[in-house]
Amino acid sequence: MVATGTPVWNLANGVTVARIALVPIVVVALVLDDGGGGWRWVAAALFALAAGTDRLDGWIARRLDQVTDWGKLVDPIADKLLIGGTLLTLSVLGDVPWWVTVVVLVRELGITAMRFAVLRYVVIPASPGGKLKTVLQSVGIGIFVLPLWTLPGVVTVIAWIVLVLAVIVTVVTGLDYLRRGWQVRKAAG
């Protein structure tokens, strides 16, 4: 439920804005790594911090009655910026295949466009499946941010398993969001 009279600029939404601000710092840390792994650890820590703020801002919003339509709209965009920026960088660096990045970004951009298209009728909040998708993407991509060449091979296997699961859930939930968007549009006439 959206709190009546809740200002857009509140603690919960401030945490969301902080997550957005961390995205370019994660990307720069990834690019700065020269193969030694030090900057990758920095990028991984910042990525984990940014990904963790997704749960924090939602908790704060519900706990302090700071849920806003702006937050419901911008929170998923912040997730997409973090996931998309990191995935693009990992693909440029050759760590994640481009097909993964393309599938994820096409889904994310498509669903964001659909959400904006139905915005005049309703704000479509993240579904439980969408939240699972975000967790799987964050964990899978977060592992790929690590300097995998310095870690036991099983970590790379786990990274791939989680990333493939994330891609599957990304596609399935994308289709579900399209169905929901179509229903909203159809009901609106």
Side-chain angles (χ1 to χ4, degrees), residues 26-35 40 43 85-98 101 144-145 149:
V26 170
V27 168
V28 168
L30 280 169
V31 171
L32 285 177
D33 193 75
D34 61 359
R40 290 300 278 257
T86 305
L87 259 181
L88 281 169
T89 305
L90 289 170
S91 289
V92 166
L93 295 172
D95 295 333
V96 172
W98 278 102
T101 301
F144 271 98
V145 170
W149 62 92

Side-chain angles (χ1 to χ4, degrees), residues 110-150:
I111 296 308
T112 299
M114 182 273 301
R115 279 179 150 163
F116 276 112
V118 301
L119 187 58
R120 69 181 125 161
Y121 309 112
V122 67
V123 173
I124 298 178
S127 69
K131 291 177 182 181
L132 173 63
K133 177 244 352 155
T134 301
V135 169
L136 288 171
Q137 286 178 350
S138 295
V139 171
I141 294 166
I143 298 171
F144 271 98
V145 170
L146 294 169
L148 291 175
W149 62 92
T150 68

